[in-house]
Amino acid sequence: MKILFKIAFRNVLQHKKQSILVGLTLVLAIMMISMISVAINGMEQQVYENYIKIQSGHVIGIWKDVKEKSNMSPERLLYLDNKQLDEEERYKNKKAVRCFKEFIDSRSDEIEGVFYQVRQLMEIESDTCKYNTTTIFSLSKEHAKWMIENESVIMEEGVLFDEENICISHESADRLQVQVGDEVDLQVKDVNGEEKHLKRKICGIYGNKAQYENYYVMMPEEVAYELVGYDKELFDMARIYLKDPSMAKIFADELDKKLLEVGEELRAEDYREASIFFTQFYGILKAFYKIFFGFILCVIAVGLSATIHMNLLTR
């Protein structure tokens, strides 16, 4: 064995150009694997954190129509359908909400925060143009403070929360050609199916960290409820943040079981179940790149092995 290594090493030195070329190929391949792995891990970390902070929480309370949508779609929690409710539906929904809040109160020692939101499609119009792809993102004062402290959004101008006005993304501001202090028209179909308009000023502009954040129009929950026409007890989405995120699955299953006792209108999911796209996409992408670069390394190894064998045979 020692003799083979000596012969191989001697032949490597005798064919320096070929040896350097093979060595550089190996080094570049390893560098590419490392760099892409680091890049994908960074992207995964950022998107994962933003998904939990902005869209889902650790446990999410959603209505039946959202539960029935495919969790493979990245838009599942982004574009919620505008609801039109009759009296019977409102009664059932309020009953489900009471059950939800009773469970939350009974487990308050496990919860860091819970936020009830209006999240519906809307249109926003300035003096120069109309932007259709927007979504109401209601905020309480406590929720807005939590988002700033946890860097869920980064403000570029103005403030995130104002008791009367709204905050939009940098991209939305560019599209609408508006700035802080300008007035815009908010348009949405309320729960009775009627088109409703509200004039509000822009109190702030935030910079997005993920593409889907561009679509949110942050507004006080009082403004959102007035625009949509909801009773105060109702909401489109509830986001629960646990002190121990590893308990999300167990907590969600227990809450969902409790909700099913009063009907199927309101359901609970943990953040992994809520959107497979955000929680598993990057894992699949990393697996693909590992297979791809594994193949490249195998080709290099075969080439290197063939070169050594040829040199040995020649010798």
Side-chain angles (χ1 to χ4, degrees), residues 35-241:
M35 288 173 66
I36 290 178
S37 180
V38 169
I40 292 175
N41 285 338
M43 290 166 60
E44 180 184 24
Q45 179 81 11
Q46 184 176 351
V47 170
Y48 206 71
E49 284 186 2
N50 289 350
Y51 161 69
I52 292 173
K53 288 178 179 178
I54 296 289
Q55 290 209 67
S56 71
H58 297 130
V59 176
I60 183 172
I62 52 175
W63 296 96
K64 183 179 179 181
D65 59 331
V66 181
K67 178 70 176 177
E68 291 171 349
K69 292 181 180 179
S70 170
N71 58 4
M72 283 297 294
S73 171
E75 298 180 353
R76 185 174 186 246
L77 304 180
L78 177 59
Y79 298 123
L80 302 188
D81 297 330
N82 294 56
K83 294 177 177 59
Q84 296 178 25
L85 305 174
D86 57 30
E87 287 301 320
E88 184 179 353
E89 288 173 320
R90 292 189 192 197
Y91 173 76
K92 288 181 179 179
N93 288 359
K94 287 179 181 179
K95 186 178 178 182
V97 169
R98 283 196 296 272
C99 177
F100 186 95
K101 291 185 176 181
E102 284 171 5
F103 183 89
I104 295 301
D105 290 341
S106 69
R107 304 285 287 272
S108 59
D109 57 321
E110 301 174 44
I111 297 171
E112 181 182 339
V114 56
F115 306 114
Y116 302 99
Q117 286 192 286
V118 176
R119 293 267 286 272
Q120 292 196 19
L121 282 171
M122 62 167 288
E123 296 178 348
I124 182 169
E125 186 175 5
S126 66
D127 293 335
T128 55
C129 85
K130 192 173 190 177
Y131 192 14
N132 298 321
T133 315
T134 54
T135 299
I136 295 171
F137 192 101
S138 70
L139 292 172
S140 64
K141 191 172 184 179
E142 293 75 19
H143 190 182
K145 181 182 177 183
W146 184 90
M147 289 183 73
I148 292 294
E149 289 175 350
N150 287 274
E151 297 184 345
S152 301
V153 294
I154 304 297
M155 297 303 300
E156 290 188 358
E157 297 180 54
V159 296
L160 175 62
F161 183 84
D162 181 282
E163 291 183 357
E164 289 291 330
N165 300 309
I166 65 170
C167 178
I168 62 175
S169 71
H170 180 92
E171 183 174 308
S172 296
D174 286 346
R175 283 174 179 264
L176 293 165
Q177 298 177 26
V178 293
Q179 56 189 356
V180 173
D182 289 347
E183 189 175 66
V184 292
D185 182 34
L186 312 178
Q187 305 168 21
V188 70
K189 280 192 176 180
D190 66 14
V191 289
N192 299 314
E194 298 176 2
E195 189 171 289
K196 189 174 285 186
H197 294 254
L198 277 179
K199 295 278 189 181
R200 287 292 183 272
K201 288 184 178 180
I202 296 169
C203 66
I205 295 172
Y206 66 88
N208 71 299
K209 292 183 287 183
Q211 181 61 30
Y212 55 76
E213 292 180 30
N214 290 328
Y215 308 123
Y216 291 131
V217 178
M218 312 282 188
M219 64 179 69
E221 56 186 8
E222 289 78 9
V223 175
Y225 274 89
E226 180 184 354
L227 191 60
V228 175
Y230 270 171
D231 297 326
K232 189 61 180 176
E233 301 98 307
L234 298 180
F235 54 81
D236 288 311
M237 180 183 293
R239 291 162 50 212
I240 303 167
Y241 292 89

